[in-house]
Amino acid sequence: NQTLVHPELVALVDRVRAAGEAAGEELELPRGPFGDASVHLLVRAAPLGTRYVLVIADDRTEAHRLEEVRRDFVANISHELKTPIGAVGLLAEALESAADEPDEVRRFAHRLTIEAERLRSLTNEIIELSRLQAADALEDAGPVRVDEVVARAVDANRVAAEAHRIALVAQSDPEAVVWGNEAMLVTAVHNLVANAIQFSPDGSRVGVGIMRRDAAVEIAVADQGVGIPESERDRVFERFFRIDSARSRQTGGTGLGLAIVKHVVQNHGGQVRVWSQQGRGSTFTIRLPEADPAAVAAASAPSARPKRGAKK
Ligand code: ADP
């Protein structure tokens, strides 16, 4: 029954049979009977004697997907970099023509500093994200104490919290241990706490909780801020996505923070979810597999990792 085989494949086999020599082709075929997903195949066919045709299909779908992601990323980066670079150019011109007016010079110089800072954080985050996307498996993985990750991420946000009189409180749980890369996990939790502070009113509260259940460790970052409309909840994890990009541009948001969180968490075999109520607040929860106690014991044995104290 030929209906089970893609007609494009049948046509290739027919051609090879008729010509009596091998041929190859790149095909994009529908993945299933419905939906618009497709598979990319590199198909080669060669006659085997007079009765048979050998068909070898190499699945290139994943490579195609990665290529598309890369192309999008490059297009977005170019767009995001052009704005601050354009601003730097304009401000430099303005500075030059205002050379005799000290107040104006100071004002333009101040704005120039802000744009330079934007470029710096954008470049850093782009490099960070590219590194994460390239690194599939975890380099330098070991047992990581989650409350230490949380403590470091929170400490790095203390000054920002104090500037807005935001009470920043974190839980501690010495038993919560995951397998992974501590620096990456600190970056992820740091980004969530930084967002929680940034999108909250002065004088509110940001809490970081640690929970262990069902062989998983959850890190929940909760704020009492502006919240996220339901329609945007999935999109906030996309690269360069900002709900209010004009406001975010002023505050220096790059739209990469949550994309980095998602990558780190996925690299650790976990997932990140968001709960939110507009005007009431948001909670971002990172869920990671709990480390296997046997692996932790082996890794913290004196010969293997003398300095890790994550014993059970
Ligand atoms: P950035 O913070 O640099 O703009 P992110 O990727 O970290 O980029 O976040 C994307 C967008 O998601 C933010 O611009 C903001 O609109 C929204 N967002 C993230 N965290 C929160 C939060 N805790 N409360 C409300 N909105 C948030």
Side-chain angles (χ1 to χ4, degrees):
N1 184 346
Q2 288 208 342
T3 58
L4 290 175
V5 179
H6 289 290
E8 293 90 339
L9 280 179
V10 176
L12 176 66
V13 169
D14 284 345
R15 261 193 292 126
V16 167
R17 203 193 295 279
E21 58 186 45
E25 206 173 335
E26 277 217 36
L27 296 175
E28 183 183 346
L29 303 172
R31 183 180 284 273
F34 36 75
D36 48 14
S38 57
V39 288
H40 287 264
L41 299 178
L42 177 62
V43 186
R44 276 168 301 216
L48 269 188
T50 48
R51 286 188 60 191
Y52 295 103
V53 173
L54 170 71
V55 178
I56 297 173
D58 189 10
D59 188 346
R60 299 281 177 91
T61 313
E62 182 63 11
H64 263 269
R65 196 187 60 78
L66 287 177
E67 176 57 24
E68 248 165 55
V69 167
R70 198 191 59 79
R71 223 178 312 145
D72 274 7
F73 192 31
V74 171
N76 282 332
I77 287 176
S78 325
H79 176 79
E80 294 289 331
L81 284 174
K82 274 180 189 156
T83 314
I85 290 174
V88 165
L90 289 174
L91 286 167
E93 277 176 30
L95 255 181
E96 197 171 11
S97 49
D100 299 329
E101 298 159 73
D103 283 352
E104 289 288 276
V105 167
R106 228 169 273 129
R107 195 164 67 85
F108 288 132
H110 177 67
R111 287 175 52 196
L112 204 51
T113 313
I114 293 175
E115 291 301 329
E117 172 57 26
R118 246 190 85 65
L119 270 171
R120 194 191 61 83
S121 60
L122 190 57
T123 320
N124 281 348
E125 293 195 348
I126 288 169
I127 292 170
E128 177 108 37
L129 190 55
S130 323
R131 248 185 346 118
L132 284 171
Q133 287 177 322
D136 219 8
L138 285 173
E139 274 170 43
D140 206 13
V144 179
R145 261 184 63 171
V146 171
D147 59 356
E148 285 174 6
V149 168
V150 167
R152 285 179 55 191
V154 163
D155 281 345
N157 279 292
R158 282 265 178 244
V159 175
E162 272 160 22
H164 295 280
R165 291 181 295 105
I166 288 175
L168 187 52
V169 284
Q171 277 182 345
S172 177
D173 179 352
E175 300 279 305
V177 179
V178 297
W179 192 264
N181 178 304
E182 179 162 3
M184 283 188 186
L185 290 170
V186 171
T187 300
V189 179
H190 175 277
N191 288 358
L192 292 184
V193 175
N195 279 347
I197 292 170
Q198 173 159 9
F199 297 103
S200 292
D202 287 9
S204 62
R205 182 179 182 279
V206 169
V208 188
I210 302 172
M211 284 143 289
R212 278 182 296 137
R213 59 165 162 239
D214 305 332
V217 178
E218 292 190 346
I219 307 166
V221 179
D223 65 50
Q224 304 170 320
V226 295
I228 301 167
E230 174 141 30
S231 55
E232 317 282 20
R233 258 166 239 167
D234 291 327
R235 301 208 61 201
V236 292
F237 293 100
E238 288 174 18
R239 290 169 304 196
F240 299 113
F241 181 82
R242 287 158 291 207
I243 292 173
D244 180 351
S245 56
R247 173 174 175 250
S248 186
R249 217 177 272 290
Q250 280 175 356
T251 52
T254 58
L256 288 175
L258 288 176
I260 291 173
V261 172
K262 189 173 168 188
H263 264 279
V264 168
V265 173
Q266 284 181 342
N267 280 0
H268 281 78
Q271 60 181 173
V272 53
R273 304 189 302 273
V274 54
W275 172 94
S276 186
Q277 221 172 345
Q278 253 187 297
R280 306 270 314 258
S282 315
T283 300
F284 284 81
T285 306
I286 291 176
R287 185 177 160 87
L288 299 166
E290 197 167 22
D292 174 4
V296 173
S300 51
S303 60
R305 272 176 184 265
K307 277 181 129 170
R308 299 265 179 168
K311 299 185 218 79
K312 274 226 132 178

